[in-house]
Amino acid sequence: MSRRFVLASASVARRRLLTAAGLPPEVVVSGLDESTVTAPTPGALARALAVAKARSVATRLSGDALVLGCDSLLELDGAGYGKPASPEQARERWTLMAGHDGVLHTGHCLLDLRRGSATREIATLASTTVRFGEPEPDELDAYLRTGEPLAVAGAFTLDGYGGWFVEAIDGDHGTVLGLSLPLLRRMLCELGVRVTDLWTTEPGA
């Protein structure tokens, strides 16, 4: 029997990815002040933010539910980058990224809430290496005008306009989109939940 599945994220890409895979989530945005969460590395911070978001949303729910929190950060030369605050900042990021490799980290935290039982929690990290192309100045200007870089960690997407400027990836593409489906399936299995039992439609329907 399908259970309530809550995505603790405002990310359209994550919601779209889950929906396309047969698991349209209920979205509850955490509203977390991310500046209150710290960690020693970009990867650890992405994981810590995912945990904080999932826990924040869980406190507002009642009854049985599965709650998924996610957060993504791009690591370049040891520094972590989330969403740029302005087009100027996005341009600066692309100056660093163009022609180089970065690592996109996505933290995942899955909570199993059941009445009368202690909450079970699994938190882990997925990381994928991204090789960036070198957009021409006018191409970068056009990309910044789309507004897309301001809405995503690392100032790029893989499945939108930014995909034109990504040469290759090494790892799960879902991690770059903001959610690794294979990793989530393994997390669900660890909690004794089969992802196929959560599907709302049969394949091919």
Side-chain angles (χ1 to χ4, degrees), residues 72-75 102-106 126-130 153-154 156 175-176 178:
S72 298
L73 289 170
L74 177 68
E75 180 176 356
V103 179
L104 200 294
H105 300 289
T106 294
S127 302
T128 293
T129 299
V130 182
F156 79 100
T175 300
V176 184

Side-chain angles (χ1 to χ4, degrees), residues 7 14 22 25 37 53 57 59 70 76 85 88 118 125 167 172 176:
L7 176 63
R14 292 187 182 108
V37 181
K53 291 179 178 181
V57 167
T59 63
C70 294
L76 291 168
E88 292 73 26
L125 181 72
E167 296 291 336
D172 177 15
V176 184

Side-chain angles (χ1 to χ4, degrees), residues 8 30 32 34 48-58 67 69-71:
S30 70
L32 178 74
E34 297 188 9
L49 286 167
V51 170
K53 291 179 178 181
R55 290 177 178 174
S56 175
V57 167
V67 182
C70 294
D71 196 87

Side-chain angles (χ1 to χ4, degrees), residues 130-149:
V130 182
R131 182 174 305 121
F132 295 101
E134 299 183 68
E136 297 293 334
D138 60 335
E139 291 178 319
L140 182 56
D141 288 342
Y143 184 40
L144 294 175
R145 285 196 299 271
T146 69
E148 183 181 88

Side-chain angles (χ1 to χ4, degrees), residues 44 99 119 146-147 174 183 196:
T119 297
T146 69
L183 177 58
T196 52

Side-chain angles (χ1 to χ4, degrees), residues 2 7 18 44 60 88 143 149 166 170 181:
S2 182
L7 176 63
L18 286 166
R60 310 205 301 267
E88 292 73 26
Y143 184 40
V166 175
D170 183 8
L181 292 178

